[in-house]
């Protein structure tokens, strides 16, 4: 990052011959603070609708198949006595896919349920005291939807696909309520409301990688090289499926997988290392 105006002027003069003709001001989201985390989420209860819970109550065992993040709800609050720091409360909603076995040796029934995980981090987001309004409203309406209170930064959460590790079936010994209110739009994804009174509960273990960022809108001066003009022409698509298929290359590698000798030197070296370590 160029910290002084002299450094920027020297950069601009140096890059003029390379196509950098001027400096421009842009409005962008600057990341003020971020953190990454690797969480092993153990004993997450899976909530089911009434029709699915009846299948779980008669099951003898379950097996986890997959897990997906449906949504992440965030809540941002300033940390008392620590100017510029914010507490980020996150609620993760997971769609859990399970194989349910009603008897030994029988074919499983696939069902889906909901798991919830709460997480909190503290990050630095600086301070601000302005409000930003965009001009996408009529004169008679308040610009509520497109207004942004500038004294709070923006939270961004990135989540990789969770790793489904294990699932277990337990007898229900007490009433277990969800850790928060489940939004109606999530209930609609599962076809109804979730119940908490049941004979048996399912608990799963997930592995999750996430990145949390706090961002603010700032104006930055950057060097401008040229407009991003596309250099490739658009190719019209055809409604004839055979014509589309004829343009696909033959998947030779699918029929003839590469040998060890055909791998690059780096890949072959890693393969040798793995073989030797297994031998140990």
């Amino acid at each position: 990052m160029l910290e002084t105006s002299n450094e920027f002027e020297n950069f601009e003069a140096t890059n003029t011959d390379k196509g950098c003709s001027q400096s421009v001001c842009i409005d962008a989201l600057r990341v003020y603070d971020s953190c990454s985390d690797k969480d092993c989420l153990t004993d997450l209860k899976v909530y089911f609708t009434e029709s699915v819970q009846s299948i779980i109550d008669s099951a003898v065992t379950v097996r986890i198949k997959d897990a997906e993040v449906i949504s992440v709800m965030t809540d941002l609050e300033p940390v008392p006595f620590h100017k510029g720091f914010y507490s980020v409360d996150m609620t993760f909603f997971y769609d859990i896919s399970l194989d349910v076995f009603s008897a030994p040796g029988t074919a499983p029934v696939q069902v889906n349920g909901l798991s919830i995980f709460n997480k909190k981090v503290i990050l630095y987001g600086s301070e601000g005291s302005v409000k930003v309004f965009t001009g996408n409203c009529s004169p008679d309406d308040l610009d509520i939807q497109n207004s942004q209170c500038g004294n709070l930064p923006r939270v961004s959460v990135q989540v990789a696909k969770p790793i489904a590790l294990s699932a277990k079936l337990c007898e229900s010994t007490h009433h277990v309520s969800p850790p928060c209110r489940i939004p109606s739009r999530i209930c609609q994804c599962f076809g109804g409301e979730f119940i908490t009174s049941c004979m048996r509960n399912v608990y799963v273990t997930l592995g999750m990688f996430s990145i949390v960022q706090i961002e603010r809108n700032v104006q930055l001066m950057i060097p401008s090289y040229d407009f991003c003009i596309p250099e490739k022409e658009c190719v019209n698509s055809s409604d004839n499926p055979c014509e589309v298929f004829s343009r696909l290359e033959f998947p030779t590698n699918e029929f003839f997988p590469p040998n060890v000798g055909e791998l690059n030197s780096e890949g072959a070296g890693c393969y040798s290392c793995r073989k030797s370590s297994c031998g140990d």
Side-chain angles (χ1 to χ4, degrees), residues 95-114:
D95 181 3
I96 307 297
S97 178
L98 298 165
D99 277 341
V100 181
F101 297 85
S102 57
T106 60
V109 177
Q110 182 175 333
V111 300
N112 289 74
L114 175 72

Side-chain angles (χ1 to χ4, degrees), residues 41-222:
L41 315 178
T42 60
D43 292 339
L44 289 181
K45 176 175 167 53
V46 185
Y47 299 93
F48 302 99
T49 58
E50 185 175 1
S51 59
V52 177
Q53 185 63 54
S54 61
I55 301 176
I56 298 297
D57 289 340
S58 60
V60 295
T61 184
V62 294
R63 179 178 62 198
I64 190 167
K65 285 177 59 69
D66 196 13
E68 292 283 350
V69 178
I70 304 175
S71 179
V72 182
M73 295 177 57
T74 60
D75 184 33
L76 189 70
E77 293 290 340
V79 177
F81 311 111
H82 290 79
K83 284 188 175 182
F85 285 88
Y86 297 86
S87 172
V88 183
D89 288 283
M90 295 164 284
T91 304
F92 297 82
F93 296 91
Y94 305 94
D95 181 3
I96 307 297
S97 178
L98 298 165
D99 277 341
V100 181
F101 297 85
S102 57
T106 60
V109 177
Q110 182 175 333
V111 300
N112 289 74
L114 175 72
S115 284
I116 304 173
F117 172 67
N118 293 323
K119 179 182 177 70
K120 177 184 288 188
V121 298
I122 295 179
L123 295 173
Y124 179 76
S126 190
E127 293 182 293
S129 58
V130 299
K131 291 184 177 181
V132 180
F133 295 87
T134 58
N136 296 326
C137 65
S138 63
D140 297 329
D141 296 330
L142 290 176
D143 190 9
I144 298 177
Q145 180 179 358
N146 298 308
S147 67
Q148 177 183 351
C149 186
N151 58 345
L152 287 178
R154 167 182 163 178
V155 180
S156 173
V157 182
Q158 304 176 47
V159 188
K161 179 178 172 58
I163 301 174
L165 298 175
S166 66
K168 62 181 179 180
L169 186 66
C170 302
E171 297 293 332
S172 179
T173 57
H174 59 281
H175 182 81
V176 181
S177 299
C180 66
R181 184 185 68 84
I182 302 176
S184 58
R185 60 185 177 87
I186 292 182
C187 294
Q188 293 173 2
C189 295
F190 292 85
E193 297 290 332
F194 296 93
I195 63 174
T196 57
S197 177
C198 54
M199 296 173 53
R200 292 177 178 172
N201 292 325
V202 175
Y203 295 90
V204 296
T205 300
L206 305 177
M208 184 180 71
F209 297 92
S210 61
I211 295 178
V212 186
Q213 299 177 163
I214 284 191
E215 308 165 334
R216 282 189 183 274
N217 274 95
V218 295
Q219 288 71 46
L220 299 174
M221 188 71 71
I222 65 170

Side-chain angles (χ1 to χ4, degrees), residues 22-35:
Q22 60 178 342
S23 58
V24 296
C25 181
I26 65 168
D27 186 78
L29 285 172
R30 175 185 171 182
V31 178
Y32 274 77
D33 200 1
S34 64
C35 65

